Amino acid sequence: VQLVESGGGLVQAGGSLRLSCAASGSIFSLSAMGWYRQAPGKQRELVATITNSGSTNYADSVKGRFTISRDNARNTAYLQMDSLQPEDTAVYYCDAHVTRSSSAPVFRYWGQGTQVTVSS
C-alpha cells in the first residue's frame, strides 16, 4: 500500500493550498484517513481526520480555515487550506488505516510528506 501526497508549495500569508493524498495497492477497505504536520524542531501533530462515513475532526489551530474531505471511490483524501499563516509552515503527512483482506487486521500507513511553506 502506498500513500502519495501532492499539492504542497510556497504561498504567501492569507493564501490557499489544496493537498491530496492518494492511496493505492492492495486495499480491501480504507477506514480513517488523516493529515498531520511536523514543523522543524517540533513533534508531529494532528491537523485533521476523516472517517469513511465523512465524520471529521480538526485541531483547534486550523478550525474554520482547513477542510478535510475524501473521495472513497478514488481512495483519496484532500486538505483544503485557506487563510494560511506562517505558523502553518511544516511538512504535511497523510495517513490511512487500511485492511488488505476481509480477514486481515488494520494497518496504518503514512505518506512521504509534502512541504508547505507560508511566507509573511
Side-chain angles (χ1 to χ4, degrees):
V1 175
Q2 286 189 321
L3 300 183
V4 178
E5 298 117 332
S6 61
L10 173 65
V11 64
Q12 289 187 334
S16 298
L17 285 174
R18 188 191 194 211
L19 306 183
S20 298
C21 172
S24 63
S26 180
I27 298 172
F28 176 76
S29 67
L30 189 60
S31 53
M33 299 184 75
W35 288 95
Y36 294 75
R37 66 187 181 186
Q38 187 167 18
K42 295 187 177 181
Q43 289 188 330
R44 190 173 297 188
E45 63 176 6
L46 167 75
V47 176
T49 62
I50 185 167
T51 68
N52 56 1
S53 61
S55 296
T56 59
N57 179 54
Y58 294 92
D60 288 343
S61 59
V62 306
K63 281 181 181 177
R65 301 189 299 122
F66 291 10
T67 303
I68 189 171
S69 61
R70 64 190 284 171
D71 182 337
N72 290 332
R74 298 177 183 268
N75 288 336
T76 300
Y78 305 95
L79 185 68
Q80 176 66 40
M81 305 185 293
D82 299 317
S83 301
L84 282 161
Q85 299 301 317
E87 52 265 34
D88 295 316
T89 295
V91 177
Y92 283 70
Y93 299 90
C94 72
D95 82 326
H97 293 76
V98 177
T99 304
R100 299 183 66 180
S101 71
S102 60
S103 60
V106 177
F107 284 101
R108 188 182 193 184
Y109 293 88
W110 290 91
Q112 81 287 353
T114 185
Q115 177 70 46
V116 171
T117 303
V118 184
S119 63
S120 57

